[in-house]
Amino acid sequence: MLDIVRLRVLAAVAAHGSVTEAAKALHYSQPSISHHLARLEAATGAKLIQRVGRGIRLTPEGELLARRAAEIVGRVDAAGAELAAQLGLQTGRVRLAAFSSALSVLVPPAAMALSQSYPNIELHLADAHPTVAQRRLRDGSADLAIVHRYDDTVPDDGIRYSYLLDDPMYLLSRHPGQTLADHRDSAWIAGCENCRGELLQFCEAAGFSPRITYSSDDIVVEQAFVAAGLGVTTMPGLALRSHHADGVVASELTEFRRRIYLATFGEPPDPPATTAFITALRTTTDALQLGETPSPKTGQSWEPGVKRPDS
């Protein structure tokens, strides 16, 4: 029988053109390479190598076997990689840090798909603001993060960012078809000091500074305030998919949106389990975007992912 190690040696000699270079590539000694070639010739009964001056060349029989050897070695290596990936998927772990609306809308269907295909992968989820999620990637306490940005640039900070989707922004009030400028004199509901930067930028672009009267980072509380007529606010589409209170009208702000990214840290490739979850997440996200993003113009609630009759 042909020995895979000796076939690998012959393929390396053919690829590199010399025993010396083949030895370097395989991390073998030169005598070891020569020994394997001699044993391969003995096993096949064919002369595979010819001496030419101080070098060597393959005989026609050697060239034929070397081509087949390269194919065989490639298939064996591919099988080993696939097996290693499968074993990783059977015993892997994914630690995901993501902001709340991504966790409530994007992650559950992806987690369900992952558990159906790879039930032994452990999925650990953490609710984290993008800056916290990025910090967790760097310190190794998260394998993957879902983050958002309000512009088209990503920082050169050593983290690998992969675009996932656009998330439209909405003005929340009690009346349809309104704009930010319509509420330059209204009371506004905003997040905490660290979370209201985008709202301030939106209003500044519309030509005014908002009069912030109420503060909350809870989308249920914010929408309750809007429904009660206490003020207006802005909210991204993913947040509205997770909760939309009766009496709250969402008018899309077509000039604003946030971009959602997957973020990983370290050199590729990612671990097999992480890659499997990313695949599941992209599949469910693509399915989510097949329908038009709901943009309700009445005070009625709408079901996430379902087109309204008047949309």
Side-chain angles (χ1 to χ4, degrees):
M1 295 178 62
L2 297 178
D3 184 280
I4 185 64
V5 173
R6 290 163 191 162
L7 290 177
R8 189 182 295 277
V9 167
L10 180 62
V13 170
H16 296 282
S18 76
V19 169
T20 301
E21 294 303 317
K24 290 179 181 179
L26 296 176
H27 304 289
Y28 288 177
S29 67
Q30 290 188 41
S32 179
I33 294 290
S34 298
H35 170 77
H36 282 303
L37 290 174
R39 295 298 299 269
L40 186 58
E41 287 184 331
T44 60
K47 186 68 174 177
L48 304 176
I49 302 293
Q50 289 179 331
R51 293 285 178 183
V52 180
R54 294 186 177 181
I56 63 168
R57 70 181 178 189
L58 298 181
T59 65
E61 294 80 9
E63 291 177 352
L64 172 63
L65 187 57
R67 287 195 298 270
R68 295 301 186 190
E71 296 175 7
I72 293 168
V73 169
R75 289 183 178 274
V76 169
D77 289 345
E82 291 172 2
L83 180 59
Q86 185 63 31
L87 290 173
L89 290 173
Q90 290 176 0
T91 60
R93 177 190 67 179
V94 182
R95 298 166 300 171
L96 171 70
F99 55 94
S100 298
S101 56
L103 280 179
S104 62
V105 178
L106 300 179
V107 172
M112 182 181 298
L114 184 73
S115 67
Q116 291 172 347
S117 299
Y118 307 105
N120 293 324
I121 290 182
E122 296 181 10
L123 183 60
H124 301 263
L125 306 176
D127 188 341
H129 185 274
T131 56
V132 177
Q134 291 163 336
R135 186 163 62 246
R136 295 189 65 167
L137 283 177
R138 292 192 186 91
D139 68 21
S141 60
D143 306 302
L144 178 67
I146 304 177
V147 301
H148 60 71
R149 295 186 61 81
Y150 287 86
D151 54 43
D152 295 331
T153 63
V154 292
D156 183 13
D157 57 2
I159 292 176
R160 291 184 286 127
Y161 296 93
S162 176
Y163 170 76
L164 192 59
L165 77 158
D166 277 357
D167 192 12
M169 298 297 299
Y170 294 88
L171 170 69
L172 301 191
S173 67
R174 295 201 298 175
H175 303 285
Q178 296 193 323
T179 66
L180 292 174
D182 293 330
H183 291 282
R184 63 174 59 249
D185 297 321
S186 299
W188 282 82
I189 304 152
C192 68
E193 295 290 340
N194 296 325
C195 300
R196 62 180 60 172
E198 290 76 26
L199 171 62
L200 298 177
Q201 292 174 17
F202 297 157
C203 293
E204 180 181 356
F208 70 97
S209 179
R211 179 169 56 88
I212 298 174
T213 309
Y214 304 98
S215 177
S216 175
D217 290 325
D218 189 319
I219 64 171
V220 176
V221 172
E222 289 181 281
Q223 291 187 38
F225 287 175
V226 173
L230 299 178
V232 296
T233 192
T234 59
M235 195 165 289
L238 284 180
L240 283 169
R241 284 183 181 269
S242 85
H243 175 74
H244 191 169
D246 289 338
V248 173
V249 180
S251 300
E252 185 172 356
L253 302 172
T254 56
E255 65 272 36
F256 303 111
R257 53 97 177 94
R258 65 180 182 177
R259 296 175 74 83
I260 311 300
Y261 295 89
L262 290 171
T264 53
F265 190 70
E267 294 297 321
D270 296 312
T274 301
T275 300
F277 180 77
I278 290 173
T279 299
L281 183 63
R282 288 194 176 280
T283 299
T284 56
T285 300
D286 290 344
L288 185 71
Q289 296 181 89
L290 287 178
E292 180 181 342
T293 302
S295 180
K297 302 302 182 185
T298 72
Q300 300 175 351
S301 298
W302 43 266
E303 290 186 60
V306 179
K307 289 187 179 181
R308 291 176 50 83
D310 57 349
S311 64

